[in-house]
Amino acid sequence: MSNATRSPLPSVDHPDVAARLREALLAASFTADGLLDLLGAPAYAALARSETVPALRATRGDTPLETLVRLFLLQQPVPYARVQEVLPVHACVETGWLTRAGADDIAATVDVRPFGGPDGEDWFIVSDLGCAVGGAGGIGSSAEGVVLGVGGASTTLAGITVRTPVSAALDLGTGSGIQALHAARHATRVTATDLNPRALHITALTLALSGAPAADLREGSLFEPVRDDETFDLIVSNPPFVISPRARLTYRDGGMGGDDLCRSLVQGAGERLNVGGFAQFLANWQHVEGEDWQDRLRSWVPRGCDAWIVQREVQDITQYAELWLRDAGDHQGDPAEYRARYDAWLDEFEARKVKAVGFGWITLRRTASDEPTITLEEWPHPVEQPLGATVRAHFERVDYLRGHDDAALLAAHFRLAAEVVQEQVGLPGAEDPEHVVLRQNRGMRRATKVDSIGAGFAGVCDGSLSAGRILDAIAQLVGEDPVLLRDRTPAQIRLLVEQGFLEPA
């Protein structure tokens, strides 16, 4: 599984064969649920780590499903007679999905991995041999130009993407086509681009085998294939964001200096978005000596766009270099060459005064407002995917708060968001807690400290009374001046609304 190869690809000119192949795969329960039932959870999870021994042991029988798992997922030659019982083997050989392996065996030319869509759809992700599961898995520098299957980054981006019906969606750097496949569910027209023509071919295969509409496939880097007059309602990209000394691997290395590729991608998205449209990216960014990372990212945001940027992880330069050297399998090769490449990474970072690298999510929304809002935060904690609805709600709250000054907030009615709980923190037996924490059990799973006034306010927000009326009642209860309480509380209300603890009623 770790030895990626670039075999000739199946033809995209025979959609009828792809449809027949899809029907045969479904008939044999070659689906995400079918795999889990056959392999069991441990072997299924091992596949995601590029470990195939448990799956090989679980497929020693001769059922149709075992045959397909060994053929397409484990890349084992299978006797012709067994394949013939399951698939339209002659048509699949003629169109390149399968190939003869010796006198009596058949082998797959591509990886085909079942993938469950968000509404239970049965999809199939096509990728190069050895690249279907577990990311690169140390595929090595010989794999330049190969197309990977679905990894953790791909599923993260799919999960955070806002899913509303749109006219036009753009998937930049489509790879194996997973983002285009998701977009096809809610976009009238999907355009997918990639610098690698092999990726475009594989995306066409993924869409056809998954029973999805064809996309408009265009070759080129970043926004080059997009016409000047084209705009979109949704732009997504899991770009080759790795900051490396030179572009060795197309699927991951940006090929520009430092984090310039991610910066160019973000800066170029604004003018290609329709008002109200979203652009969502995964990205790496440099932490440069003497510079605040938030200032760096704020400078990337194009004019006319609101932005929400979440830093999920930070690695020092040694951790970062080791991660991606291992990704390419360099640690398994010549030790002297490994040390030389490691040195090259550190030399590059030293020259740029980079001390660490951040990873996270960048979401832009084109706004008609004269005062766009940029929110940057560090949130390394667990979240609940999918987050598309959470992302959309964030920008709805941005609009709400932008249109409500403090007086309007006090006149407004609020409701405590669902599944928010209160925790009191303090010494055992103490009469009063040291502080109160409100915690979300959904979405971003945020936690925020509030004072007793804020906790009491949030607790009685059920939409029936205005914020000002609630504060007046609290002031009378605790013996505070209601005017002073009204003056100092709107900032706390604004924060609770911004973070999703309170919702406008």
Side-chain angles (χ1 to χ4, degrees):
M1 293 290 290
S2 62
N3 297 319
T5 59
R6 294 184 56 181
S7 61
L9 293 174
S11 170
V12 295
D13 298 326
H14 298 275
D16 56 320
V17 176
R20 289 172 62 195
L21 176 56
R22 172 178 171 79
E23 289 176 8
L25 297 178
L26 293 176
S29 296
F30 187 65
T31 63
D33 289 340
L35 285 185
L36 184 59
D37 290 341
L38 171 68
L39 302 178
Y44 191 65
L47 276 179
R49 303 190 298 270
S50 294
E51 296 290 348
T52 60
V53 172
L56 286 166
R57 291 173 62 86
T59 55
R60 289 179 289 193
D62 58 1
T63 67
L65 180 54
E66 287 170 300
T67 297
L68 293 176
V69 171
R70 293 181 73 84
L71 182 67
F72 284 117
L73 266 188
L74 304 178
Q75 280 93 62
Q76 301 296 307
V78 178
Y80 186 99
R82 282 178 60 185
V83 180
Q84 192 173 30
E85 295 173 359
V86 186
L87 300 178
V89 64
H90 181 71
C92 287
V93 169
E94 278 198 333
T95 55
W97 288 97
L98 301 174
T99 186
R100 289 276 191 174
D104 300 317
D105 288 342
I106 288 289
T109 59
V110 287
D111 272 318
V112 175
R113 180 177 173 85
F115 189 91
D119 290 327
E121 300 94 340
D122 288 314
W123 291 342
F124 298 99
I125 310 302
V126 180
S127 62
D128 272 310
L129 292 173
C131 297
V133 293
I139 61 177
S141 57
S142 62
E144 169 65 23
V146 299
V147 180
L148 300 189
V150 178
S154 300
T155 53
T156 293
L157 178 60
I160 67 172
T161 300
V162 175
R163 302 293 176 193
T164 54
V166 296
S167 295
L170 172 65
D171 175 17
L172 281 177
T174 187
S176 60
I178 182 62
Q179 308 305 330
L181 190 53
H182 277 279
R185 296 175 57 249
H186 61 101
T188 304
R189 176 173 57 87
V190 176
T191 301
T193 73
D194 206 290
L195 183 62
N196 183 1
R198 190 173 182 87
L200 297 176
H201 191 127
I202 283 180
T203 291
L205 297 175
T206 290
L207 294 172
L209 197 58
S210 298
D216 180 2
L217 304 176
R218 305 182 193 176
E219 183 180 343
S221 177
L222 299 180
F223 291 102
E224 286 175 3
V226 178
R227 298 192 306 272
D228 291 342
D229 61 344
E230 279 186 292
T231 55
F232 301 87
D233 307 297
L234 175 67
I235 299 173
V236 293
S237 183
N238 174 21
F241 53 66
V242 176
I243 300 169
S244 58
R246 63 184 183 88
R248 289 172 57 204
L249 301 174
T250 304
Y251 72 85
R252 65 162 213 195
D253 296 331
M256 298 185 184
D259 51 17
D260 283 354
L261 182 134
C262 290
R263 176 185 54 79
S264 298
L265 185 62
V266 174
Q267 289 181 335
E271 62 186 4
R272 293 169 175 86
L273 278 177
N274 296 321
V275 172
F278 288 91
Q280 299 186 261
F281 314 108
L282 302 185
N284 275 178
W285 45 80
Q286 298 173 146
H287 284 232
V288 179
E289 192 175 322
E291 177 187 66
D292 188 301
W293 72 269
Q294 294 196 1
D295 292 339
R296 183 179 193 84
L297 271 293
R298 193 174 281 109
S299 73
W300 290 10
V301 178
R303 294 180 62 184
C305 288
D306 295 321
W308 184 20
I309 300 173
V310 182
Q311 181 166 269
R312 294 287 289 159
E313 184 180 2
V314 180
Q315 290 186 318
D316 67 51
I317 56 175
T318 59
Q319 291 175 303
Y320 189 80
E322 290 162 15
L323 169 68
W324 295 110
L325 287 167
R326 286 178 176 275
D327 172 83
D330 292 328
H331 63 300
Q332 299 170 339
D334 176 43
E337 188 173 343
Y338 173 77
R339 288 194 295 271
R341 283 180 171 161
Y342 199 150
D343 262 332
W345 283 66
L346 297 185
D347 286 344
E348 177 81 5
F349 286 134
E350 186 177 318
R352 295 179 175 276
K353 298 183 178 180
V354 176
K355 57 184 181 179
V357 176
F359 166 81
W361 317 326
I362 298 176
T363 300
L364 308 176
R365 185 191 59 168
R366 187 80 182 180
T367 180
S369 172
D370 295 330
E371 299 179 359
T373 298
I374 300 176
T375 304
L376 298 104
E377 62 178 313
E378 190 160 7
W379 191 252
H381 311 293
V383 298
E384 183 190 47
Q385 285 275 34
L387 279 170
T390 300
V391 173
R392 185 175 70 249
H394 167 87
F395 287 94
E396 290 171 351
R397 294 194 298 271
V398 165
D399 285 340
Y400 179 86
L401 291 172
R402 191 157 45 203
H404 287 72
D405 59 17
D406 287 355
L409 282 183
L410 292 174
H413 294 236
F414 298 98
R415 184 181 295 109
L416 187 67
E419 298 194 41
V420 172
V421 297
Q422 174 180 304
E423 299 173 359
Q424 297 189 151
V425 182
L427 294 173
E431 185 174 344
D432 296 312
E434 292 178 21
H435 57 263
V436 176
V437 174
L438 299 182
R439 187 178 300 278
Q440 301 168 350
N441 286 322
R442 303 295 301 273
M444 292 292 286
R445 293 179 173 166
R446 296 186 185 279
T448 189
K449 290 181 182 179
V450 293
D451 60 20
S452 57
I453 300 295
F457 177 86
V460 298
C461 279
D462 61 3
S464 60
L465 296 175
S466 70
R469 290 277 302 278
I470 293 174
L471 290 177
D472 290 343
I474 292 175
Q476 186 174 8
L477 187 65
V478 301
E480 282 207 37
D481 184 330
V483 175
L484 293 178
L485 191 60
R486 279 173 171 257
D487 284 344
R488 69 179 176 85
T489 307
Q492 193 167 186
I493 297 174
R494 191 171 292 275
L495 178 65
L496 291 175
V497 173
E498 179 185 331
Q499 296 192 342
F501 289 94
L502 293 179
E503 300 170 345

